């Protein structure tokens, strides 16, 4: 099987998860990744900053935000933009901030690659969390799949 085929199959499987299974997997994997990151980095603040960038990039990976992505990410958007942002406004911003969104995704990719140099399994786990974030609305778009493949490479 090709790499693209395997990533697409995994995306399809995650899209099909029922909400209870999705939440359980997301919670378990998140705890596991944060624990590993805290063992690698001496500063909890650095870990949180890296995760913030990765989560925000995952949420905005396809250049738009669905309501299912928006609701759990409201606090991140407030931190990023410095104010409370409505669902409509975030999508308007994303359309006008294509360059910044791409820069954020590139930064997230570099952070994930950096962790991958220390522990390839950790990189895979972080990428899986990104996949879960992209799938929160039950659909991983073509743009999100493309970004996930880049992140995994």
């Amino acid at each position: 099987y090709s790499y693209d085929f395997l990533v697409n199959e995994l995306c399809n499987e995650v899209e099909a998860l029922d909400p209870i299974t999705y939440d359980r997997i997301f919670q378990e994997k998140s705890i596991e990744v944060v624990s590993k990151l805290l063992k690698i980095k001496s500063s909890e603040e650095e870990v949180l900053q890296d995760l913030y960038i990765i989560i925000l990039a995952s949420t905005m990976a396809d250049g738009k935000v669905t309501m299912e992505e928006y609701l759990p990410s409201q606090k991140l958007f407030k931190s990023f933009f410095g104010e409370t942002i409505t669902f409509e406004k975030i999508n308007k911003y994303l359309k006008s901030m294509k360059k910044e969104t791409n820069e954020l995704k590139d930064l997230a990719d570099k952070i994930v690659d950096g962790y991958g140099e220390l522990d390839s399994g950790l990189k895979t786990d972080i990428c899986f969390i990104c996949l879960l974030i992209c799938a929160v609305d039950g659909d991983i778009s073509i743009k999100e799949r493309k970004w996930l493949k880049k992140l995994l490479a």
Side-chain angles (χ1 to χ4, degrees):
Y1 294 104
S2 74
Y3 172 75
D4 283 353
F5 176 80
L6 294 173
V7 172
N8 283 327
E9 283 297 303
L10 183 58
C11 287
N12 294 340
E13 287 181 31
V14 170
E15 286 175 331
L17 291 174
D18 65 86
I20 293 170
T21 304
Y22 174 93
D23 289 345
R24 181 183 51 77
I25 292 170
F26 187 84
Q27 187 174 20
E28 289 171 2
K29 191 56 73 175
S30 297
I31 290 168
E32 180 184 326
V33 166
V34 169
S35 174
K36 286 181 181 179
L37 291 175
L38 289 171
K39 289 177 184 172
I40 290 173
K41 291 241 180 172
S42 57
S43 165
E44 184 177 323
E45 188 175 316
E46 281 182 54
V47 168
L48 293 176
Q49 183 178 11
D50 288 350
L51 287 173
Y52 170 78
I53 291 166
I54 293 165
I55 292 167
L56 195 57
S58 299
T59 302
M60 302 177 351
D62 62 357
K64 64 182 189 248
V65 175
T66 64
M67 186 59 77
E68 293 87 353
E69 292 168 328
Y70 171 77
L71 291 174
S73 303
Q74 282 178 316
K75 289 180 183 176
L76 290 175
F77 291 131
K78 183 174 183 177
S79 298
F80 185 70
F81 293 105
E83 61 181 286
T84 301
I85 306 293
T86 65
F87 174 70
E88 293 76 19
K89 205 172 193 181
I90 190 67
N91 279 299
K92 185 177 177 183
Y93 277 150
L94 289 177
K95 285 180 184 172
S96 67
M97 296 178 59
K98 197 169 201 142
K99 180 183 176 209
E100 291 85 351
T101 301
N102 287 334
E103 289 171 358
L104 183 69
K105 291 190 301 188
D106 288 344
L107 178 58
D109 188 28
K110 288 177 183 161
I111 291 168
V112 172
D113 285 346
Y115 285 123
E117 289 176 13
L118 301 172
D119 180 343
S120 63
L122 178 58
K123 176 179 178 173
T124 302
D125 289 343
I126 293 170
C127 290
F128 187 66
I129 288 174
C130 293
L131 187 153
L132 288 167
I133 292 167
C134 290
V136 72
D137 58 356
D139 179 54
I140 303 172
S141 71
I142 292 170
K143 285 183 181 179
E144 288 170 326
R145 289 171 190 249
K146 183 178 175 184
W147 183 70
L148 288 165
K149 289 172 188 174
K150 180 182 178 201
L151 200 62
L152 280 160

